[in-house]
Amino acid sequence: PRSDFAGFRFPPDVIVLAVRWYLRFGLSYRDVEELLAERGVEVDHVTIYRWVQRFTPLLAEAARPCRHRPGDRWYADETHVKVAGRWLYVYRAIDQFGQVVDVLVSPQRDAKAARRFFEQAIGTTKVAPVEVVTDRAATYPMVLEELLPAPWHRTEQYANNRVEGDHGRLKARLRPMRGLKQDRNARVVVVGHAFVQNVRRGHYELATEEPANRRLAVAFDELAMAI
């Protein structure tokens, strides 16, 4: 079958390296451009942006069959990111093992968005949690009562610190961007960050025999051959 890298002037290893650097480290597109230039690869930062937008979803999809099944205890919460001068909300959930269950970027923070997030998470993972921990936002009880009436819904103070602390990793990654410019860009980067975080934490059957500091590089090289 035709490779998704066909037609690109640069070889797959350069493209995947640029995408991996951007998703993994606190770098801007211009930072990645400079790092590649130091290695003799002259490529414009706009091209790197296009690579990230095109290949991040392809890499994540290629890895999907290798993903571990998420646990049945979810910690769910929302945070916010600035896109083109306005705030968007990022719904995220992690399980008891630290795996990011799913993410959703929404222009609203309401019951409709929360319902869409849980429907997507359940549909994608095929897991119905036995316990869901959230903050005390009024939208969660009615959404969970409708979608997941059986699980235990916890809202005690500090119970959700795990996912709230995990938001910080996403915020640290977004900080060098000084604000995202488009909704689609935000969705790709947020999903890509969760994907990279899960690979690094060993939640995929990818590069499992590699040391943690080499796992992501080897996994991305393996996935490049699959797309």
Side-chain angles (χ1 to χ4, degrees):
R2 180 180 173 86
S3 169
D4 285 289
F5 294 102
F8 284 82
R9 181 164 66 91
F10 290 88
D13 58 335
V14 171
I15 295 174
V16 170
L17 177 64
V19 173
R20 175 167 61 83
W21 277 351
Y22 182 77
L23 294 176
R24 167 65 184 91
F25 301 107
L27 301 171
S28 66
Y29 293 112
R30 291 183 185 274
D31 291 334
V32 177
E33 175 186 356
E34 184 175 337
L35 288 171
L36 289 174
E38 291 179 359
R39 288 154 177 79
V41 180
E42 296 291 339
V43 55
D44 189 77
H45 63 278
V46 176
T47 298
I48 297 169
Y49 161 79
R50 291 170 180 160
W51 290 348
V52 170
Q53 293 296 303
R54 177 174 176 80
F55 287 100
T56 298
L58 294 176
L59 291 164
E61 178 61 22
R64 186 173 56 83
C66 305
R67 182 180 175 180
H68 294 172
R69 182 180 174 88
D72 57 4
R73 287 173 171 79
W74 293 2
Y75 301 79
D77 190 36
E78 74 284 341
T79 186
H80 55 271
V81 297
K82 184 166 283 189
V83 179
R86 61 192 178 89
W87 292 109
L88 292 183
Y89 296 94
V90 180
Y91 286 80
R92 301 173 75 246
I94 63 173
D95 67 10
Q96 67 267 41
F97 308 112
Q99 179 178 174
V100 181
V101 176
D102 210 341
V103 296
L104 174 75
V105 180
S106 170
Q108 286 87 32
R109 181 191 182 194
D110 55 17
K112 183 178 179 181
R115 183 181 297 106
R116 190 164 77 252
F117 169 69
F118 280 105
E119 287 175 342
Q120 174 182 292
I122 296 167
T124 300
T125 63
K126 311 302 181 188
V127 172
V130 299
E131 179 182 323
V132 180
V133 182
T134 71
D135 60 19
R136 298 181 181 178
T139 57
Y140 287 122
M142 57 182 177
V143 169
L144 291 174
E145 180 64 27
E146 176 186 341
L147 296 178
L148 297 165
W152 181 25
H153 179 204
R154 294 176 54 200
T155 59
E156 302 97 296
Q157 189 176 15
Y158 309 124
N160 217 23
N161 282 0
R162 179 177 296 193
V163 67
E164 290 174 358
D166 202 75
H167 289 331
R169 295 178 174 86
L170 173 62
K171 292 296 189 68
R173 175 61 200 90
L174 298 178
R175 198 168 294 120
M177 300 178 188
R178 300 176 184 175
L180 296 160
K181 302 301 185 289
Q182 297 178 359
D183 289 8
R184 182 180 184 278
N185 184 20
R187 291 186 179 94
V188 169
V189 172
V190 168
V191 170
H193 175 271
F195 167 57
V196 165
Q197 183 169 305
N198 281 343
V199 173
R200 292 185 64 236
R201 290 177 173 176
H203 297 302
Y204 284 80
E205 286 300 313
L206 291 167
T208 54
E209 296 181 357
E210 298 291 330
N213 61 359
R214 285 280 301 153
R215 184 177 294 143
L216 189 64
V218 173
F220 266 53
D221 288 343
E222 293 177 0
L223 292 171
M225 293 187 289
I227 62 175

